Amino acid sequence: MPDFVFERACMPPVAGVDEAGRGPWAGPVVAAAIILPADGLDPSLLTRLDDSKKLKKGVREDLLAALEPVADIGVGVATPTEIDDINILQATMLAMQRAVDGLSEMPVSVLVDGNRAPAIAAEVTTIVKGDALSLSIAAASIVAKVTRDRMMAKLAAQYPGYGWERNAGYGTKEHKAALDRLGVTPAHRQSFAPIRAIATRYR
C-alpha cells in the first residue's frame, strides 16, 4: 500500500503527478498533480488511496469527491492532435507540466510516476510504480483516471458507436470493429499504427 515515505524525504510542499491514457487509440492523455495537506486528512481516506488501476470505478469516483475539498489539484491535458504532432511521450510530459501549472501553489518537490521527468521548475523525483508506493502519486492517478474517463464518456456521445464510455478509447474488439465499420474520427490518434493503417484505407 502507498504511504508518505517519499513525501517525508522531500522539501514541502510536495506534489504527486501521474497520467492516464498513454495507450489508447483515441482521446487525450490526461495528467493530474495533487498536493495533499500535511495533516488533517481523514485516516479512512488515506487507507483507501491506491493505484487507480486496482480500484473499481465507483471507488475512484468516491475518492475524487473526497479529495477535491481538501487537496490542491491541477489537471493537464494533451490533445490527440498534440500527441500526433510531438509523440505520446512528449505529450505526456506536456500534460504533466500543465497539471503542475494548474495547482494553486507551486510545489517545491514533485514526485512523478515512472522513469521520465517532465520539465518542471521544482525538484523532481521519478518513482517506478509510484502509484503503488506514494500516497500523493496514488491520489494523482485517481484524479487523472476519473477525469479522463469522464472526458471519454463525453466524446462517446459526440462520436457514438466506438464504445468509449466503456473502453476509454483503448484498442478493444469493440473499438476495432467500430473502426472497420465507421472509420477514423478527429478524436483518434492518427500517428498510432492501427489508426494510421485504417485511415489509409479510407483515403
Side-chain angles (χ1 to χ4, degrees), residues 18-201:
D18 202 0
E19 54 75 27
R22 283 185 67 169
W25 293 354
V29 61
V30 176
I34 186 165
I35 299 175
L36 297 173
D39 50 55
L41 268 178
D42 186 338
S44 68
L45 172 58
L46 292 178
T47 58
R48 289 185 292 151
L49 290 175
D50 204 349
D51 174 0
S52 64
K53 296 185 290 295
K54 299 178 182 178
L55 304 173
K56 292 183 178 180
K57 179 179 179 180
V59 175
R60 293 194 298 263
E61 293 274 359
D62 290 345
L63 286 169
L64 177 57
L67 287 166
E68 285 175 327
V70 298
D72 185 0
I73 297 173
V75 172
V77 175
T79 66
T81 298
E82 289 175 318
I83 292 168
D84 291 336
D85 286 345
I86 62 176
N87 77 46
I88 184 59
L89 174 60
Q90 295 307 317
T92 300
M93 297 297 104
L94 179 60
M96 288 182 172
Q97 293 165 22
R98 288 170 173 170
V100 172
D101 287 344
L103 293 167
S104 62
E105 177 182 19
M106 184 63 192
V108 173
S109 307
V110 176
L111 303 175
V112 177
D113 184 50
N115 60 4
R116 299 293 186 101
I120 296 170
E123 185 69 30
V124 179
T125 301
T126 58
I127 307 171
V128 175
K129 297 184 179 178
D131 43 12
L133 299 171
S134 157
L135 280 167
S136 297
I137 295 177
S141 77
I142 291 164
V143 175
K145 173 64 173 166
V146 174
T147 301
R148 187 176 187 278
D149 283 352
R150 290 174 178 175
M151 295 176 73
M152 292 309 297
K154 290 182 179 178
L155 281 172
Q158 187 176 352
Y159 301 105
Y162 297 88
W164 293 341
E165 69 276 19
R166 290 180 294 276
N167 61 48
Y170 282 87
T172 62
K173 288 182 180 179
E174 176 186 33
H175 192 174
K176 175 66 165 58
L179 280 163
D180 290 338
R181 187 174 70 253
L182 302 170
V184 174
T185 75
H188 281 99
R189 300 173 181 183
Q190 312 282 332
S191 58
F192 278 35
I195 303 305
R196 190 167 61 245
I198 292 168
T200 301
R201 269 194 264 145

Side-chain angles (χ1 to χ4, degrees), residues 9-22:
C10 296
M11 186 73 68
V14 182
V17 176
D18 202 0
E19 54 75 27
R22 283 185 67 169

